[in-house]
């Protein structure tokens, strides 16, 4: 049986980044939202006037919708970190199926590198009271604490090698993506010699910090069929979170994608064997290892072997993060949006030098917060 | 405290006042759910295990084991620049709950000095007139 879309009810029909991504001085986060929205609607062959549903994270949807000049009849500001934009696919699907809207626009924009001010936190949040005073600040410290525990359980040397494999393989993909921030090859020595950020993380275990926006458009089958590009059908989705701050994470080595992966696949009526491309949020090399296991691509503690010998690099047997990922392509802060863009482009066959033949089915897994939330979506083309 | 303490301080809330008052007296106190008998962290009036209002305060032993740690080499904000390398850690308290803290009393931190599972004991760092931060050192 040819693997292809089984469900054809709701599709992603337009995707784009903002005009420039990487280091973009003097553009605000909102400008990145707007440029990406403009470009994604153009990619779809739709007008802003067609948009009747709006979803975003980072800002309230009120703020961004006003900025864009739209009056949505369906609004969703679900904000659970970088996975939000994966979860928005399912929310848009549900809204379209329920008749709440017909054309849903989802936008992201973050001047992660060049923004002029940092938002201040609410001191009543538990993290501000019970983690921040100890210097639990920023993602590298949080995720490195989880990675250290994983190393303890599964062996430091082999985990270190697995992390290096992910960093090196992901860079190889980035070199094939003209939009990628990182332009130079990375050797294993480069990885091992890069400075410590938060041990056990080297600099090259950590995602980039860039300025970028991204957007996509979701619509009904009826509308999708008349549009410019091949529809990318939503097959199945799931979302969950099991904590917010890291010290409350039930198991530092087994994120909540343990639930969303199997649910999304079951809802899609598919198995791991059907997946031609995995787009897995790589905030850190460790995030990839933990997610591969939680999603069920391999057993617990097996991810370092799963990624061995550059299996996920170009030409390898498991296609992963072909854009170059958050590690080497772009990472504005809440990177999840960009997983969607690459999955759609690969399924449409638009990826140039990094194109994977004719993939039919992709699994997208976004992680948000401190391994706190995940959204998993399976998408496919005819 | 010879220098002004400029790192982020906790802002106690109504339901955590007791925790911070006890910490200032160099005691570690936890909330306990009287429905199931479990201690929990962080303090809140309604328990997260049973969603029960039958909760109380208990004094912790101060003994813990190291659950995981990192060694921060790059200061996340300028206020931590003088502290690097420092050790963010998560510890398993003897009573069951897990909490975020720092490991202190080991000199210049290196991975070799820190072993997951190692026994620890609480120690308090007075950082302001009202706040003492519970930290942990090797037992
Ligand atoms: Zn209870």
């Amino acid at each position: 049986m040819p693997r292809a879309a089984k469900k054809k009810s709701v599709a992603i029909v337009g995707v784009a980044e903002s005009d420039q991504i990487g280091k973009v001085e003097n553009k605000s986060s909102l400008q990145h939202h707007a440029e990406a929205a403009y470009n994604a609607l153009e990619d779809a062959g739709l007008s802003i006037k067609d948009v009747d549903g709006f979803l975003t994270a980072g800002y309230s949807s009120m703020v961004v919708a006003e900025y864009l000049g739209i009056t949505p009849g369906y609004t969703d500001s679900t904000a659970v970190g970088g996975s939000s934009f994966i979860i928005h696919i399912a929310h848009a699907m549900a809204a379209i199926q329920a008749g709440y809207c017909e054309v849903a626009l989802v936008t992201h924009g973050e001047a992660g590198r060049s923004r002029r001010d940092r938002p201040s936190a609410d001191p009543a949040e538990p993290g501000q009271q019970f983690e921040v005073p100890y210097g639990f600040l920023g993602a590298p410290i949080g995720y490195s604490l989880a990675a250290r525990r994983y190393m303890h359980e599964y062996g430091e040397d082999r985990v270190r090698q697995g992390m290096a494999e992910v960093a090196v393989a992901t860079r190889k993909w980035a070199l094939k993506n003209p939009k990628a921030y990182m332009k130079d090859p990375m050797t294993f020595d480069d990885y091992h010699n890069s400075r410590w950020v938060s041990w056990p993380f080297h600099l090259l275990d950590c995602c980039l910090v860039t300025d970028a926006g991204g957007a996509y458009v979701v619509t009904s089958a009826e509308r999708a069929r008349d549009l410019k590009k091949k529809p990318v059908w939503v097959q199945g989705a799931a979302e969950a979170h099991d904590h917010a701050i890291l010290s409350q994470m039930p198991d530092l080595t087994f994120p909540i994608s343990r639930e969303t992966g199997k649910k999304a696949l079951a809802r899609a009526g598919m198995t791991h064997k059907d997946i031609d491309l995995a787009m897995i949020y790589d905030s850190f090399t460790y995030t990839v290892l933990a997610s591969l296991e939680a999603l069920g691509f391999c057993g617990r503690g097996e991810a370092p072997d799963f990624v061995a010998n550059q299996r996920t690099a170009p030409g390898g047997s498991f296609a992963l993060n072909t854009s170059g990922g958050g590690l080497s392509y772009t990472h504005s802060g809440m990177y999840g949006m960009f997983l969607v863009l690459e999955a759609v482009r690969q399924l449409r066959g638009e990826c140039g030098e990094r194109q994977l033949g004719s993939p039919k089915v992709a699994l997208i897994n976004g992680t948000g917060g401190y391994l706190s939330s995940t959204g998993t979506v399976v998408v496919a083309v005819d | 405290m010879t220098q002004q303490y400029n790192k982020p301080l906790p802002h106690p809330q109504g339901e955590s006042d007791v925790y911070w008052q006890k910490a200032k007296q160099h005691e570690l106190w936890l909330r306990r759910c009287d429905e199931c008998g479990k201690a929990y962290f962080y303090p809140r009036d309604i328990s997260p295990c049973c969603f029960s209002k039958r909760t109380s305060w208990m004094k912790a032993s101060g003994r813990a084991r190291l659950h995981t740690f990192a060694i921060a080499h790059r200061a996340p904000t300028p206020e931590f620049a003088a502290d690097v390398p420092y050790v963010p850690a998560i510890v398993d308290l003897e009573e069951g709950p897990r909490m975020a803290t720092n490991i202190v009393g080991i000199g210049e931190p290196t991975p070799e000095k820190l072993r997951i599972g190692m026994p620890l004991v609480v120690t308090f760092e007075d950082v302001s007139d009202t706040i003492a931060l519970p930290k942990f050192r090797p037992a």
Side-chain angles (χ1 to χ4, degrees):
Chain A
M1 193 182 68
R3 290 169 301 157
K6 295 180 175 182
K7 299 180 182 173
K8 296 175 191 177
S9 150
V10 169
I12 303 171
V13 293
V15 295
E17 288 103 342
S18 49
D19 293 353
Q20 296 102 30
I21 64 170
K23 187 164 190 273
V24 188
E25 284 169 3
N26 287 320
K27 276 190 188 173
S28 70
S29 297
L30 282 170
Q31 280 177 282
H32 286 286
H33 277 266
E35 289 179 1
Y38 189 100
N39 297 337
L41 287 164
E42 188 172 78
D43 184 60
L46 285 163
S47 142
I48 190 79
K49 294 190 176 63
D50 296 311
V51 174
D52 59 355
F54 183 67
L55 306 88
T56 194
Y59 294 97
S60 161
S61 52
M62 277 195 302
V63 173
V64 184
E66 176 195 273
Y67 184 93
L68 298 175
I70 58 175
T71 308
Y74 173 75
T75 184
D76 186 330
S77 304
T78 299
V80 290
S83 62
S84 304
F85 309 96
I86 316 305
I87 291 170
H88 290 154
I89 297 175
H91 291 194
M93 175 176 71
I96 291 165
Q97 288 173 339
Y100 269 53
C101 64
E102 200 177 10
V103 175
L105 171 67
V106 185
T107 67
H108 160 73
E110 208 167 346
R113 189 171 197 91
S114 304
R115 69 181 154 200
R116 295 181 179 179
D117 302 291
R118 307 264 151 193
S120 56
D122 176 355
E125 282 194 16
Q128 294 301 310
Q129 225 183 137
F130 300 107
E131 286 196 350
V132 168
Y134 298 106
F136 280 56
L137 278 157
I141 287 172
Y143 281 73
S144 63
L145 282 153
R148 178 64 189 92
R149 181 71 198 188
Y150 181 90
M151 284 179 157
H152 168 73
E153 294 190 11
Y154 300 118
E156 184 174 333
D157 292 345
R158 61 186 285 276
V159 174
R160 171 67 63 200
Q161 180 60 24
M163 286 164 40
E165 294 277 1
V166 170
V168 171
T170 310
R171 179 63 60 85
K172 288 176 184 166
W173 283 114
L175 299 182
K176 294 173 176 291
N177 182 354
K179 290 183 177 167
Y181 189 72
M182 301 308 283
K183 305 287 186 197
D184 298 322
M186 183 200 301
T187 65
F188 280 93
D189 281 347
D190 292 335
Y191 169 83
H192 290 291
N193 294 330
S194 70
R195 63 186 169 81
W196 297 118
V197 171
S198 180
W199 188 93
F201 283 167
H202 287 285
L203 179 66
L204 294 179
D205 285 303
C206 305
C207 62
L208 306 170
V209 181
T210 63
D211 305 313
Y216 61 84
V217 182
V218 185
T219 194
S220 62
E222 298 72 53
R223 293 295 289 269
R225 292 215 169 82
D226 303 332
L227 297 177
K228 269 164 74 177
K229 299 276 181 82
K230 179 157 78 174
V232 173
W233 303 104
V234 182
Q235 303 297 295
E239 64 196 70
H241 42 77
D242 65 358
H243 66 284
I245 59 176
L246 190 81
S247 56
Q248 296 292 314
M249 186 169 176
D251 182 341
L252 295 172
T253 67
F254 206 38
I256 192 63
S257 38
R258 66 186 182 268
E259 298 294 336
T260 57
K262 59 187 172 200
K263 277 187 195 163
L265 282 166
R267 288 169 181 169
M270 296 199 188
T271 69
H272 295 92
K273 288 194 177 66
D274 296 313
I275 305 302
D276 298 313
L277 164 67
M279 290 300 301
I280 294 177
Y281 197 141
D282 54 340
S283 45
F284 300 91
T285 52
Y286 168 66
T287 317
V288 175
L289 301 182
S291 300
L292 284 168
E293 293 176 12
L295 290 167
F297 283 103
C298 58
R300 294 192 70 180
E302 292 174 4
D305 302 325
F306 187 86
V307 301
N309 303 311
Q310 291 295 283
R311 184 179 180 199
T312 66
S317 62
F318 188 83
L320 174 72
N321 294 345
T322 54
S323 60
L327 292 171
S328 286
Y329 146 62
T330 207
H331 190 289
S332 48
M334 291 191 292
Y335 162 77
M337 169 60 69
F338 302 94
L339 300 168
V340 181
L341 308 193
E342 180 70 5
V344 167
R345 287 169 173 157
Q346 282 286 359
L347 296 184
R348 288 172 171 177
E350 296 176 344
C351 286
E353 205 192 329
R354 67 182 190 282
Q355 181 63 42
L356 296 166
S358 308
K360 295 287 188 191
V361 184
L363 180 144
I364 307 168
N365 187 70
T367 299
Y370 291 89
L371 294 159
S372 319
S373 66
T374 58
T376 310
V377 176
V378 179
V379 289
V381 284
D382 289 329
Chain B
M1 283 173 284
T2 50
Q3 275 179 312
Q4 186 69 28
Y5 188 85
N6 66 350
K7 285 176 280 186
L9 287 170
H11 293 255
Q13 305 296 307
E15 56 188 356
S16 61
D17 277 339
V18 170
Y19 176 86
W20 292 112
Q21 285 159 7
K22 295 292 187 185
K24 192 61 192 166
Q25 296 160 24
H26 292 196
E27 291 179 5
L28 184 65
W29 282 64
L30 299 171
R31 288 309 287 262
R32 179 175 54 210
C33 172
D34 294 325
E35 204 72 41
C36 67
K38 269 188 208 151
Y40 59 90
F41 194 89
Y42 44 91
R44 57 209 114 152
D45 284 353
I46 300 179
S47 74
C49 41
C50 301
F51 205 62
S52 171
K53 291 184 174 178
R54 289 182 55 223
T55 55
S56 52
W57 284 97
M58 63 180 284
K59 188 181 176 193
S61 70
R63 286 188 291 272
R65 287 185 184 271
L66 184 58
H67 185 75
T68 192
F69 67 95
I71 302 175
H73 288 267
R74 183 179 71 185
T77 61
E79 294 76 26
F80 285 90
D83 289 19
V84 292
Y86 66 91
V87 183
I90 296 173
V91 299
D92 291 311
L93 300 174
E94 190 173 62
E95 292 78 9
R98 214 171 264 171
M99 68 180 279
T101 189
N102 296 132
I103 306 303
V104 295
I106 58 168
E108 177 89 358
T110 60
E112 295 70 35
K113 291 180 182 170
L114 293 152
R115 185 174 47 77
I116 287 182
M118 72 193 282
L120 302 164
V121 63
V122 73
T123 178
F124 291 85
E125 185 181 335
D126 287 291
V127 296
S128 80
D129 292 342
T130 54
I131 297 293
L133 293 176
K135 298 192 171 182
F136 285 80
R137 60 175 172 76

